[in-house]
Amino acid sequence: MNQSQKQQISDSSPEADPSSNNKKPAKVWDESRLIVLLIGLSLLAEGALIHYQAGDSQFLVAVVTGIAGLLMTFMAYFLPFEQEPEDEQESGDKQELENKQKSVESKTEEITQKIAEPESPATEKSLVKELVTGAEKPEAEPELSWIERLNKGLTKTRTGFIGKLKKLVLGSTKIDSDLLEELEEALYEADVGVKTTEELLAYLHEKVEKENITDPNQIYTLLKENLKDRLNKYAAPPTLSKDGLTVYLIIGVNGVGKTTTIAKLANYFTKEGKKVVLAAGDTFRAAAIDQICIWGERAKVDVIHGNEGGDPGALVFDAIHAAKKRNADLLIIDTAGRMHVKANLMSELKKIQKIAEKESCGGPHEILLVLDATTGQNAVQQAKQFNEALPLTGLVVTKLDGTAKGGVLFAVEEQISAPVKFIGVGEKMNDLMPFEPTEYLQALFADDTDKKKESDYNVVK
Ligand SMILES: Nc1nc2c(ncn2[C@@H]2O[C@H](COP(=O)(O)OP(=O)(O)OP(=O)(O)O)[C@@H](O)[C@H]2O)c(=O)[nH]1
Ligand SMILES: [Mg+2]
């Protein structure tokens, strides 16, 4: 129990209230006590009277009477008072106090137990179910096409990063060093990265000088073209084995969206007519197995899983053989989230990769690093270090719907010279697709009002 909880409990206990228990009984001059006092005083007066009237002859009687009076007066005043009986109100209060104390004691015990015991497996399971179900709440709006989802998902970046570029360039009347400097700043702010920004600026400078460009509109067009060329330079479709089982290994730091991406991939490839099997390779995080099993149920694909705390390498071995036995086309392996700076966790990934390589023909066909677009430049560092540990074949950029920057996609490809293979623009099963630079840029640069239907785009399928 921590200090503040202890404090809370002790503050609410009855002992904390000084007025509650130490109440002294009130002095009450009941009738009998008054009578004793009166008799005592009368005897005193009688003693004095006898002495006054009878003189020395009755001296002894007067003294005895006086002493008796004195004693009775003392008795009436100084003898300890009996505690008066509690009235009904007070005994009710006492009962209430006892009940309160009992309830505080049981509450203390309950809190202590809660802190000492971990969440029961049943509670954990229901929490996982809630998490996965939460991502699939029925939509109030009608089902959208991928292009509409993409367009919606990129709203923040379109109005943020791209909106700023548009305002800057199209709002200028001339091309000068101020404009180019502001442009540079906007690119940095949007996580486009130092290298890409410098190259972009050098390209614009050269074009402006060589072709004597004076219209800012042309700068805008040049910028768009350059960004498109950059994305096209790396673009590559997801690899699928021509014959036999294809194996995808999904890696990344904690919470970037690996397991959700796996569910989305299972959904996508199933719709493409492939038989997909999932491997619950995250044996580390509590309830990770339950999470992928629920996603598997939803995507209607088999999940090969072991026990929590088991060896992920052994699980991958079993999963490859189980997938082959089922004649699956694609096995997607989940892994536990890990920090890119932890060498021992990176070597565990290498071990998994070796097993996949040995047990499958030419696998893993994709080693996909999942990156959370909202983490900005940190995603670039992650890509660099994971790529040093394992040769990445591609990237999955998730949560593009949650960022107004969106430039990290350009930076990260340049950094490791590997393509973005999938992008995620939401939590739902249909919110992920293979990355197509053309449709991505069209959604990014589309005007919010006039480019909302799939037919408005020149979609590369
Ligand atoms: N908005 C949004 N949320 C996403 C996207 N992809 C995943 N998420 C959410 O990201 C959270 C984490 O997803 P997981 O799939 O559990 O992440 P993980 O990388 O497997 O996490 P660990 O296994 O703990 O390392 C979930 O709440 C997902 O719904 C996306 O493209 N957009
Ligand atoms: Mg996971």
Side-chain angles (χ1 to χ4, degrees):
M1 197 184 327
N2 66 33
Q3 211 49 42
S4 74
Q5 280 161 325
K6 276 183 188 166
Q7 187 62 41
Q8 225 176 332
I9 292 162
S10 78
D11 283 349
S12 60
S13 77
E15 283 83 8
D17 181 5
S19 67
S20 61
N21 250 355
N22 306 328
K23 207 172 172 184
K24 284 184 182 168
K27 283 186 179 184
V28 176
W29 284 90
D30 53 292
E31 270 177 32
S32 51
R33 197 171 293 272
L34 278 169
I35 291 168
V36 173
L37 181 70
L38 284 175
I39 293 172
L41 291 171
S42 312
L43 283 173
L44 268 175
E46 183 71 11
L49 199 66
I50 291 170
H51 180 62
Y52 179 70
Q53 285 180 345
D56 283 349
S57 63
Q58 293 294 320
F59 178 71
L60 198 64
V61 178
V63 169
V64 171
T65 311
I67 289 172
L70 209 62
L71 279 174
M72 287 192 82
T73 310
F74 268 92
M75 257 174 67
Y77 196 77
F78 290 108
L79 276 183
F81 282 75
E82 266 181 29
Q83 191 168 331
E84 59 175 326
E86 290 166 358
D87 61 27
E88 264 180 35
Q89 172 67 36
E90 272 181 329
S91 71
D93 284 350
K94 198 170 178 186
Q95 185 63 39
E96 201 182 304
L97 215 59
E98 273 170 15
N99 290 344
K100 206 172 167 187
Q101 182 149 13
K102 269 185 196 158
S103 105
V104 169
E105 275 166 11
S106 74
K107 206 158 193 144
T108 311
E109 207 169 314
E110 200 183 304
I111 292 173
T112 316
Q113 267 178 12
K114 257 194 182 162
I115 292 163
E117 284 171 14
E119 208 83 67
S120 76
T123 328
E124 251 170 22
K125 197 161 184 165
S126 78
L127 284 177
V128 172
K129 193 146 197 161
E130 221 171 81
L131 180 86
V132 179
T133 318
E136 281 295 303
K137 278 182 193 136
E139 289 175 89
E141 57 201 82
E143 189 68 16
L144 302 174
S145 71
W146 165 243
I147 292 297
E148 285 166 329
R149 281 171 187 271
L150 179 65
N151 202 33
K152 192 174 161 214
L154 296 180
T155 306
K156 283 189 184 170
T157 297
R158 188 169 52 248
T159 51
F161 168 37
I162 303 298
K164 194 167 180 182
L165 283 188
K166 275 185 190 173
K167 213 167 142 192
L168 199 63
V169 183
L170 303 181
S172 299
T173 48
K174 60 178 185 336
I175 301 169
D176 55 14
S177 56
D178 280 355
L179 173 65
L180 293 174
E181 258 173 45
E182 282 183 84
L183 195 59
E184 186 176 5
E185 211 173 290
L187 291 167
Y188 281 137
E189 271 177 21
D191 290 325
V192 171
V194 179
K195 188 171 175 263
T196 314
T197 304
E198 281 176 359
E199 283 177 12
L200 256 169
L201 262 293
Y203 167 79
L204 291 178
H205 271 293
E206 197 188 315
K207 280 276 183 192
V208 169
E209 272 176 30
K210 275 193 181 163
E211 294 175 22
N212 213 10
I213 294 169
T214 51
D215 180 4
N217 273 306
Q218 277 178 280
I219 288 276
Y220 186 63
T221 314
L222 285 172
L223 200 64
K224 271 167 66 174
E225 271 174 16
N226 190 282
L227 289 175
K228 187 177 168 185
D229 290 348
R230 280 169 188 280
L231 294 181
N232 280 328
K233 189 168 133 194
Y234 297 105
T239 309
L240 286 171
S241 170
K242 293 230 163 27
D243 52 329
L245 180 70
T246 299
V247 178
Y248 283 9
L249 182 61
I250 310 297
I251 59 176
V253 305
N254 311 69
V256 286
K258 295 179 295 299
T259 310
T260 315
T261 292
I262 287 166
K264 291 169 177 173
L265 288 173
N267 178 57
Y268 168 75
F269 282 109
T270 304
K271 282 184 180 165
E272 292 284 297
K274 307 285 178 214
K275 183 175 169 61
V276 181
V277 171
L278 306 182
D282 181 357
T283 56
F284 179 73
R285 183 168 63 73
I289 296 172
D290 291 334
Q291 188 189 1
I292 195 166
C293 286
I294 294 168
W295 274 122
E297 264 174 47
R298 182 162 295 149
K300 299 187 178 64
V301 298
D302 288 349
V303 180
I304 312 298
H305 65 88
N307 294 323
E308 198 178 304
D311 174 16
L315 187 273
V316 167
F317 180 94
D318 290 346
I320 292 174
H321 288 279
K324 281 181 181 170
K325 220 172 169 179
R326 286 166 164 80
N327 283 323
D329 299 304
L330 176 63
L331 173 72
I332 312 174
I333 304 167
D334 193 12
T335 57
R338 65 201 68 222
M339 289 309 292
H340 47 297
V341 288
K342 294 266 168 94
N344 58 331
L345 297 179
M346 287 297 165
S347 54
E348 187 189 69
L349 274 186
K350 281 184 214 163
K351 191 181 145 201
I352 293 173
Q353 184 222 353
K354 288 267 172 309
I355 292 167
E357 202 176 288
K358 198 162 165 238
E359 302 306 317
S360 69
C361 183
H365 302 83
E366 292 280 10
I367 301 177
L368 298 174
L369 176 70
V370 181
L371 295 170
D372 176 342
T374 63
T375 57
Q377 284 301 302
N378 191 270
V380 181
Q381 283 311 312
Q382 290 167 26
K384 220 174 131 189
Q385 297 202 2
F386 269 96
N387 195 43
E388 277 165 18
L390 279 189
L392 301 176
T393 61
L395 304 160
V396 179
V397 182
T398 61
K399 311 191 192 181
L400 277 165
D401 53 313
T403 177
K405 298 180 172 183
V408 72
L409 209 127
F410 301 95
V412 88
E413 280 197 332
E414 291 283 352
Q415 186 66 55
I416 58 163
S417 302
V420 172
K421 295 236 167 163
F422 295 90
I423 51 168
V425 292
E427 291 183 280
K428 296 186 177 68
M429 198 93 96
N430 291 329
D431 287 333
L432 178 125
M433 275 282 165
F435 180 59
E436 295 280 3
T438 312
E439 67 179 23
Y440 175 75
L441 285 168
Q442 279 176 342
L444 215 53
F445 286 95
D447 285 328
D448 295 351
T449 47
D450 61 4
K451 292 272 184 185
K452 278 196 172 157
K453 286 189 228 82
E454 191 156 354
S455 55
D456 287 336
Y457 296 86
N458 178 20
V459 183
V460 184
K461 288 263 180 193

